[in-house]
Amino acid sequence: MRRTIIAPSVLGCSHGELASAAAGLEKDGADWIHLDVMDGVFVPVLTFGAGVARAVCSTVSIPVDAHLMVEHPAGLIESFAEAGCRYITFHPESSEKHIHRLLGRIKELGCYSGLALNPATSPEIIRWVADQLDLVLIMTVNPGYGGQKHIGVMHEKIRTVRDILDEAGRDDVAISVDGGVDSSNAAELVQAGASVLVSGSYITSSSDRAGAIAALRV
Ligand code: DX5
Ligand code: ZN
């Protein structure tokens, strides 16, 4: 049984201090830092680009996981790879038509590649891109905001994705879960097959971030 990876999202932190917030989370026991990149088109909110990612990557020594909630991911992946992000994940619901090719391009750039699925998106697509994948991110909220209610029916999708990956001989691919993750659902998520828990407000709104991270380890 592999160790569950805890990936705090810094979305709820002051955007003027993201690098120092990330450094603090590393000290508090985070395994990865999750960066929510929003373009104001794919989702209504605009967050930050590769310059901020570079500042975070150069401040922490743990992997940085860029979650691109953007309409045109192909135009951004090189700058996030150059910024030092180890994982780059994009959405198939974006305007990108050549999903398999873009996953391969992320790997050519020396990063791990990920595909993020909105709640209403069928997991079937995973079967056909399994050879180019390192991570599947299952959204358990609709993307765009932190602090939303966790959608519990997505646990069934985690099990389905785990089965698809096993059938494809890719049990090494990480399954990440993002949205409303806290200590009340962490064990069930891991039991369903998640290996990475992304958690934003539960960790960053806590007065004891190290304790919140520890409480997610199951
Ligand atoms: C939502 C983002 C999430 C979010 C998680 O669009 O992808 O990473 O920040 O925040 P919580 O844990 O508060 O749902
Ligand atoms: Zn995210």
Side-chain angles (χ1 to χ4, degrees):
M1 184 80 178
R2 57 190 142 187
R3 182 175 187 261
T4 303
I5 289 165
I6 309 299
S9 161
V10 291
L11 181 65
C13 300
S14 159
H15 281 198
E17 293 158 18
L18 287 184
S20 59
L25 287 160
E26 179 175 15
K27 278 204 193 85
D28 288 335
D31 299 302
W32 297 358
I33 296 296
H34 181 88
L35 291 182
D36 287 306
V37 178
M38 304 183 184
D39 65 352
V41 181
F42 182 75
V43 290
V45 175
L46 180 64
T47 56
F48 47 76
V52 169
R54 181 185 298 278
V56 172
C57 292
S58 60
T59 307
V60 299
S61 54
I62 52 178
V64 172
D65 164 33
H67 175 195
L68 304 183
M69 285 162 275
V70 304
E71 196 56 15
H72 299 290
L76 288 179
I77 58 165
E78 301 209 357
S79 59
F80 279 87
E82 277 165 21
C85 297
R86 295 294 295 133
Y87 287 80
I88 300 181
T89 297
F90 66 94
H91 280 259
E93 306 91 350
S94 68
S95 69
E96 179 55 48
K97 289 186 178 59
H98 306 292
I99 310 287
H100 188 275
R101 181 191 291 155
L102 189 57
L103 290 167
R105 179 74 188 126
I106 293 171
K107 291 164 79 66
E108 277 170 16
L109 290 167
C111 300
Y112 294 111
S113 61
L115 205 58
L117 305 179
N118 281 341
T121 301
S122 164
E124 185 57 21
I125 188 172
I126 298 303
R127 191 182 303 282
W128 309 108
V129 295
D131 63 323
Q132 294 297 338
L133 271 176
D134 296 301
L135 178 144
V136 179
L137 187 154
I138 297 175
M139 294 302 305
T140 43
V141 296
N142 289 292
Y145 308 95
Q148 302 181 80
K149 189 175 180 314
H150 186 76
I151 304 173
V153 71
M154 292 301 135
H155 296 202
E156 181 59 32
K157 192 193 273 187
I158 298 169
R159 282 187 281 274
T160 304
V161 168
R162 186 49 82 199
D163 288 347
I164 291 171
L165 290 170
D166 286 350
E167 283 163 21
R170 293 301 314 273
D171 63 354
D172 56 312
V173 173
I175 297 184
S176 180
V177 182
D178 188 2
V181 174
D182 61 24
S183 59
S184 75
N185 51 35
E188 201 184 311
L189 289 164
V190 170
Q191 211 169 11
S195 50
V196 180
L197 300 179
V198 175
S199 181
S201 52
Y202 171 70
I203 295 173
T204 59
S205 67
S206 170
S207 56
D208 174 15
R209 292 181 177 179
I213 289 170
L216 292 174
R217 286 197 192 290
V218 286

